[in-house]
Amino acid sequence: MPTPKISNKDRVKGIQVYRPFVYGSIAKPIDPNNRPAGITAEHTHLWSVYVRGVDGEDISYWLKKVQFKLHETYANSSRMIESPPFEVTESGWGEFEVQLKLYFMSEANEKAQTLWHALKLHPYGPDAEGQKERREAIISQNYEEIIFNEPVEPFYDILTSGAPQPGRGKGSKGSKQASTIKKQGERSAEIPRDNSKENPYSLKTEDSELLRLREAMKTVDVLVKRERGTLREKEERLAAFKREAEAS
Ligand code: SLL
């Protein structure tokens, strides 16, 4: 479908709207003694690959659909998911790169964006063996922010009106939403306060990261002071040598 021509004057100048989301996968090893029916014998894992809001936030007000491109060993390897949850659940035996193509609401007049996610089935790191034994789920996910640079007016309205509030129903979407009074800043791209198993990105994580950075800066300060001290010593010795050389 040809996209309507949007001239630059239809864009909201100087504005960038950020929308956070997470994408990733969760994989569970199949218990050989309790195999779900209808799964091929070679398949060792059940997995899902997904795109979702941070902490379950509804992102379908700006994200229209997601195309997941699986490895070609899968039948119908290209899967278009047109409504939330934007995810594909499958079984398999191997890891591969999944291509995710994010399509925005048509009002956005934005091209689809492509991301890649490496599907992880196997644990790694110091406790890999333990995790394997306990048949733990393997979560591999990334936090991402999409930046809409100078969005067109209708999309800016949609973005700033935010996700439909629970109880307000579907009617708050689309054209009706655009006509409601904008409460700018009511919805925010703030990350959640606490992290959970599914979502390691929180203000708490951010805080501890900041603390770590502050500690690192202190260390750098100490190192800089020490270096300055050494430099001063060397300069003093150099000056002494010079004086000696001049005197002799
Ligand atoms: C590997 N390069 O060798 C990867 C490919 C493909 C995984 C992994 C499904 C198989 C099916 C499946 O697990 N494909 O249903 O036929 O590890």
Side-chain angles (χ1 to χ4, degrees):
M1 196 176 81
T3 44
K5 259 245 165 305
I6 297 275
S7 73
N8 274 343
K9 71 172 177 11
D10 298 317
R11 294 194 167 269
V12 187
K13 290 272 148 18
I15 286 283
Q16 283 189 327
V17 181
Y18 292 75
R19 283 296 168 261
F21 63 97
V22 288
Y23 66 97
S25 58
I26 177 164
K28 285 194 181 117
I30 296 172
D31 181 349
N33 302 314
N34 192 17
R35 287 185 68 85
I39 289 182
T40 329
E42 307 87 69
H43 288 189
T44 53
H45 290 74
L46 282 174
W47 53 258
S48 298
V49 56
Y50 52 82
V51 177
R52 54 169 84 128
V54 174
D55 229 19
E57 191 208 21
D58 182 5
I59 51 172
S60 65
Y61 66 100
W62 57 267
L63 185 62
K64 188 175 177 204
K65 55 185 184 179
V66 180
Q67 184 190 49
F68 295 83
K69 271 197 186 155
L70 310 180
H71 193 264
E72 61 253 17
T73 44
Y74 283 91
N76 313 314
S77 60
S78 176
R79 314 274 174 94
M80 186 66 95
I81 307 298
E82 314 236 4
S83 56
F86 300 109
E87 64 180 42
V88 169
T89 297
E90 265 295 351
S91 63
W93 49 262
E95 298 181 335
F96 59 93
E97 296 264 337
V98 185
Q99 189 193 318
L100 314 169
K101 208 165 168 189
L102 275 54
Y103 292 83
F104 308 109
M105 304 314 282
S106 50
E107 290 89 339
N109 198 54
E110 297 278 352
K111 278 197 208 127
Q113 284 208 22
T114 302
L115 291 172
W116 290 88
H117 173 69
L119 170 67
K120 281 248 157 287
L121 302 186
H122 309 293
Y124 59 98
D127 191 30
E129 281 311 308
Q131 279 178 285
K132 214 167 172 173
E133 246 161 59
R134 296 188 295 273
R135 286 210 188 85
E136 276 179 22
I138 305 300
I139 297 172
S140 166
Q141 87 176 4
N142 291 291
Y143 172 89
E144 207 24 287
E145 280 173 357
I146 210 127
I147 306 167
F148 297 107
N149 193 33
E150 302 197 333
V152 294
E153 283 280 2
F155 191 47
Y156 179 71
D157 282 343
I158 290 172
L159 286 170
T160 51
S161 302
Q165 300 296 302
R168 267 166 56 197
K170 287 251 167 204
S172 53
K173 261 185 162 182
S175 56
K176 187 163 177 276
Q177 185 182 41
S179 66
T180 54
I181 299 161
K182 252 182 288 170
K183 283 194 198 126
Q184 242 167 277
E186 182 188 48
R187 297 287 307 184
S188 79
E190 282 261 300
I191 55 176
R193 195 169 54 88
D194 290 307
N195 43 327
S196 59
K197 195 158 184 261
E198 289 75 30
N199 173 42
Y201 312 101
S202 66
L203 293 175
K204 220 159 137 187
T205 327
E206 198 177 63
D207 274 352
S208 64
E209 199 60 14
L210 281 173
L211 207 69
R212 217 173 54 83
L213 284 173
R214 249 176 252 135
E215 287 305 313
M217 276 164 77
K218 267 189 222 158
T219 314
V220 170
D221 270 351
V222 170
L223 290 177
V224 168
K225 268 188 202 128
R226 199 184 295 162
E227 284 304 310
R228 278 207 191 112
T230 324
L231 185 64
R232 202 177 310 123
E233 255 171 49
K234 283 188 177 152
E235 276 170 354
E236 278 163 11
R237 268 167 58 201
L238 184 64
F241 279 138
K242 273 188 186 155
R243 275 196 302 275
E244 263 174 50
E246 273 161 16
S248 61

